[in-house]
């Protein structure tokens, strides 16, 4: 297994180099450092000298890919691409254009994102699987039909509606929880209650239908018939045998997103005033802060690769037939 | 624990704040995006001034209540003494002509005994312990010291620092003697040791002189009366050298503890919590000098209760909490629940908050009045306009043909309708570049733009489409077609329209041009490409705006001054307008004191501009602010940045109303529980029945 993991890590390197190159190209070729300078220096009294000075201070006045003025290896290393990329592979994200340390900001904003994303993910998964199993249990009855209609209705509603509606009903009309805001520590509980509940409910429609499909597929298999023939109660067949055998498709969808949970959710965090990472990248794109965008894209790629690796590893845990070689 | 068990706590369940401070002078406000810079040499946005305006004290400030806006001393003990000098540096009489004045000398004397807020920069720093310091409050025993003239001088030198990127450096090099030379010296010094802190005390600046501990002088080129307004901005606030040195430590930079994020000043408040991702907190500065609420204001201020606190020591507030609130809907709802003390009005909530009376006056809806709210409106010192690129061969230039085309378009783009549709009526159609409240603006018939309006029945009435069409015929475009070639005239509108409402807005513009059979092609582009087009002069018609730095007509009219053309000089004249007569009058006007003579010159300038029509003058936005009944001493002051020191609250009243407005409503919970039971019980019975059936089958 160790060999497998090492091999996968080696495969990741060219992917990350590619991601870095594309991000670099998009930001520095499509969007020039002059553009960035103008955006950073504001609308008023921006002189050409101020733009040159801004670029010089950040080293953005260096050649992008090849430095003819340098000698030897310096032609490649004394360039913006090399200097920016090597730092990234050391996980040194540097500072944003407003002078803040990006690593520090990511660490600080990761917590609130996780405070929302982890409970939403766990509770959502549990709710989806439970409801899907119950629908399968009551298949071909009015309960299943009602469930299908309900899930279709739930998945047809925009996520934004759940948020605004939830804030209106629970926060504004019933006065049960704060409409938005965040506090650290135990005080966070009453602030995350509503966004987590909304996150779970808004995901039920599509989640339940997806798991129901998986379980129905499993229900048609021989081992289920055998279990029933042996006289096992239907509940045991479903919650014990079917659930265990459906773990591979469930894990495929679930484990891969685990590392990405900390990247947060843009809309939820914006509406609930959660100081997470959800809007960090979008804000940076709007502000043309290349340093942040590059760091977040790189980090996202790393996490996605980790997620895929974890998914593969998790298969061996739930299915003894799977061997990693 | 209170967070987990709100039932046991006395606070409202939905309160976003802790119990602490519920009945004290704590103002609750918000910010929608994190401020980019809090360094006074660099900061230049209103959302940043909200914070640093309360912390840093420049030499001057705007009187809170008096209108028109009036400067008064703040860090200074009196208004600066201005002396005009000739080439040899000899003083000239006050009435010396502009040609004689080579330099102006501003002598500023400071208040005595002013202390900085407590800060670790003023105490010895234990370098060994630095690594353990995670935030400023971890430093033991913060110190302070007395403000001196050297601190103001140090800050002026910082404007030239190449790493600070002060936005007014370019502008100030035109005025402050030796500022460019200082920049060159600093650049050289940084080349030698880029990472090392530069002690600016060692670098002389010719245009700034220390007279004594409390007095300094600034020497500027020529005569520039508007310089006084700059002295009321944070760019000229004091900066102690120790503070800059303190923040230069790499251990602090790594923890985002920098001067750009942790301001240090002598103002009424100090920033004690700085989490731009969540919350910023200003607390009363214990070292704040004696300061008092104004004793006089406008005639109506007494009746409005704005002079009830006259002569009282300020600030009244102990603490101001700013929470990050990115979306307007939750902000508005929390304001209605009493958790924010004041609010603007977004278009989403406009109809809920405001209704127009029969006379067109904005007034509160009964619902808002019932909650005891107060509405305050003010015309902002800004302008949003549609500009013509005067270098464009079709719409630009000084030819009669192009001028009449511009005039015709000026008539048909109906900004009254625009304001009504897209701004909920929150704007005043502009008659020229100067908004109300700026010297030179004329209300009534004398101030209307005769190219676009007639004065009828005591109000301006937009000229008819027929008149616009007649102008178009004169311009050689009958029915929107070129009289010579017969081809339809197509105009190009360069915009950065990416918002959700922009499509409707662009359609509206297109329809306005169609009124006189002109075809308008929308060239939508991103911000960067738009900037490029403006710089190289390839845009034809564009939208632009300006927010005044200071309340002087020069700050608007320089936007049309020929030598400021964007295309050639990268200046602020986005339309590249150039009219020698306008330029001459502008140069004359900018050095004049406010007087009937100056008004007369401005009147001439307006006549030229209104006839040339380089802009469609667009509109001046109107600000609407809502305040809860417990929030006192609020008066819109669009120039002052330090107004929070005048604010006062009635926290007992606030607490009472919050409780009344936020009583938990529990019956839907019980109802929901019953509904759940109604769903779960049949399911559970179903499961039981099914299980029993399979057992029966097994037994058989």
């Amino acid at each position: 297994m160790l060999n497998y993991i090492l091999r996968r890590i080696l495969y990741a390197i060219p992917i990350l180099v590619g991601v870095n190159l594309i991000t670099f190209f998009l930001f520095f070729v499509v969007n020039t450092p002059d553009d960035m300078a103008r955006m950073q220096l504001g609308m008023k009294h921006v002189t050409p000298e101020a733009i040159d000075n801004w670029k010089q201070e950040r080293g953005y006045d260096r050649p992008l890919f090849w430095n003819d003025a340098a000698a030897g290896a310096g032609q490649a290393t004394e360039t913006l691409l090399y200097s920016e990329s090597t730092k990234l592979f050391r996980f040194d994200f540097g500072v944003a254009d407003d002078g803040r340390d990006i690593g520090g900001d990511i660490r600080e904003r990761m917590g609130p994102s996780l405070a929302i994303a982890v409970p939403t993910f766990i509770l959502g998964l549990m709710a989806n699987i439970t409801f899907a199993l119950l629908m399968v249990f009551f298949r071909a009855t009015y309960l299943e039909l009602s469930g299908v209609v309900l899930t279709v209705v739930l998945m047809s509603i925009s996520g934004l509606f759940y948020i605004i509606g939830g804030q209106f009903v629970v926060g504004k009309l019933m006065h049960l929880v704060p409409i938005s805001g965040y506090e650290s520590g135990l005080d966070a509980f009453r602030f995350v209650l509503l966004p987590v509940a909304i996150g779970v409910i808004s995901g039920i429609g599509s989640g339940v239908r997806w798991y129901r499909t998986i379980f129905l597929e499993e229900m048609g298999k021989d081992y289920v018939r055998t279990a029933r023939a042996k006289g096992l109660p239907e509940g045991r067949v479903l919650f014990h045998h079917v659930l265990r055998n459906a773990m591979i498709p469930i894990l495929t969808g679930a484990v891969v997103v685990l590392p990405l949970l900390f990247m947060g959710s843009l809309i939820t965090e914006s509406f609930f005033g959660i100081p997470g990472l959800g809007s960090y990248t979008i804000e940076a794109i709007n502000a043309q802060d290349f340093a942040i965008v590059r760091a977040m894209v790189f980090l996202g790629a790393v996490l996605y690769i980790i997620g895929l690796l974890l998914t593969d590893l998790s298969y061996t845990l739930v299915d003894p037939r799977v061997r990693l070689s | 624990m209170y967070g987990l068990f709100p039932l046991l706590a006395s606070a409202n369940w939905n309160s976003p704040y802790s119990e602490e401070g519920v009945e004290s002078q704590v103002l609750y406000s918000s910010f929608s995006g994190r401020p980019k810079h809090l360094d006074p040499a660099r900061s230049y946005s209103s959302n940043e001034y909200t914070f640093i305006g309360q912390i840093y004290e420049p030499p001057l400030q705007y009187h809170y209540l008096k209108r028109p806006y009036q400067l008064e001393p703040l860090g200074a003990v009196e208004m600066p003494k201005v002396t005009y000098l000739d080439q040899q540096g000899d003083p000239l009489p006050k009435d010396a002509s502009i040609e004689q004045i080579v330099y102006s000398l501003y002598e500023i004397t400071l208040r005595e005994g002013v202390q900085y807020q407590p800060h670790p920069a003023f105490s010895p720093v234990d370098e060994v312990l630095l690594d353990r310091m995670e935030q400023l409050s971890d430093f033991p025993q913060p110190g302070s010291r007395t403000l001196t003239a050297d601190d103001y001088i140090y800050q002026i030198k910082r404007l030239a620092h190449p790493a600070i990127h002060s936005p007014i450096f370019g502008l100030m090099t035109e005025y402050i003697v030796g500022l460019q030379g200082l920049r060159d010296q600093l650049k050289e010094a940084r080349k030698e040791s880029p990472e090392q802190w530069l002690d600016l005390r060692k670098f002389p600046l010719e245009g700034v002189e220390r007279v004594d501990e409390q007095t300094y002088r600034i020497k500027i080129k020529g005569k520039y009366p508007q310089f006084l307004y700059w002295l009321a901005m944070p760019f000229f606030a004091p900066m102690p050298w120790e503070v800059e040195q303190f923040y230069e430590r790499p251990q602090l930079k790594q923890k985002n503890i920098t001067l750009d994020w942790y301001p240090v000043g002598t103002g009424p408040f100090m920033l004690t919590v700085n989490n731009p991702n969540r919350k910023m907190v200003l607390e009363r500065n214990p070292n704040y000098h004696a300061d008092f609420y104004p004793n006089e204001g406008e005639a109506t201020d007494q009746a409005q209760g704005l002079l009830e606190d006259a002569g009282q020591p300020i600030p009244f507030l102990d603490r101001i909490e700013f929470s990050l609130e990115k979306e307007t809907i939750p902000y508005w709802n929390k304001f209605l629940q009493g958790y924010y003390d004041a609010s603007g009005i977004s278009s989403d909530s406009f109809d809920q908050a405001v209704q127009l009376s029969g006379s067109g006056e904005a007034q509160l809806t009964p619902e808002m009045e019932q909650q005891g709210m107060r509405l305050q409106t003010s015309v902002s010192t800004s302008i949003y306009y549609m500009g013509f690129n005067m270098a464009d061969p079709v719409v630009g230039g000084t030819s009669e043909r192009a001028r009449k085309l511009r005039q015709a378009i000026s008539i048909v783009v109906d900004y009254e309708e625009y304001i009504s549709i897209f701004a909920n009526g929150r704007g005043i159609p502009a008659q020229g570049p100067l908004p109300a409240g700026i010297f030179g603006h004329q209300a009534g018939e004398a101030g209307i733009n005769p190219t676009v309006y007639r004065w009828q029945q005591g109000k301006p009435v937009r000229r008819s489409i027929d008149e616009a069409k007649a102008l178009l015929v004169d311009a050689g475009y009958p029915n929107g077609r070129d009289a010579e070639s017969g081809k339809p005239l197509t105009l190009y509108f360069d915009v950065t329209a990416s918002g959700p409402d922009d499509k409707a807005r662009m359609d509206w513009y297109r329809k306005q041009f169609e009124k006189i059979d002109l075809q308008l092609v929308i060239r939508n582009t991103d911000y960067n490409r738009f900037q490029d087009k403006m710089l190289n002069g390839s845009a034809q018609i564009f939208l632009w705006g300006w927010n005044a730095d200071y309340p002087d007509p020069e700050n608007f009219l320089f936007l049309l001054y020929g030598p400021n053309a964007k295309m050639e000089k990268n200046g602020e004249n986005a339309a590249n307008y150039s009219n020698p007569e306008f330029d001459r009058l502008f140069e004359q006007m900018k050095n004049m004191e406010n007087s009937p003579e100056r008004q007369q010159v401005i009147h001439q300038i307006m006549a030229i501009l209104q006839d040339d029509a380089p802009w469609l003058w667009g509109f001046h936005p109107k600000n609407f602010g809502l305040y809860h009944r417990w929030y006192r001493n609020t008066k819109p002051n669009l120039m002052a940045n330090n107004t929070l020191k005048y604010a006062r609250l009635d926290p007992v009243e606030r607490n009472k109303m919050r409780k009344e407005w936020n009583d938990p409503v529990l019956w839907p919970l019980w109802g929901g529980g019953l509904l759940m039971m109604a769903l779960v019980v049949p399911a559970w019975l179903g499961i039981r029945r099914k299980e029993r059936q399979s057992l029966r089958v097994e037994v058989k």
Side-chain angles (χ1 to χ4, degrees), chain B residues 18 119 213 229 263 265 336 574 597:
Chain B
S18 62
H119 193 274
E213 190 90 335
Y229 295 116
L336 293 182
E597 292 74 32

Side-chain angles (χ1 to χ4, degrees), chain B residues 621-637:
Chain B
K622 219 171 166 182
N623 298 332
F624 279 43
L626 279 177
Y627 301 87
H628 279 297
R629 64 180 86 171
W630 54 79
Y631 194 169
R632 311 274 161 80
N633 297 339
T634 58
K635 178 172 181 174
N637 187 323

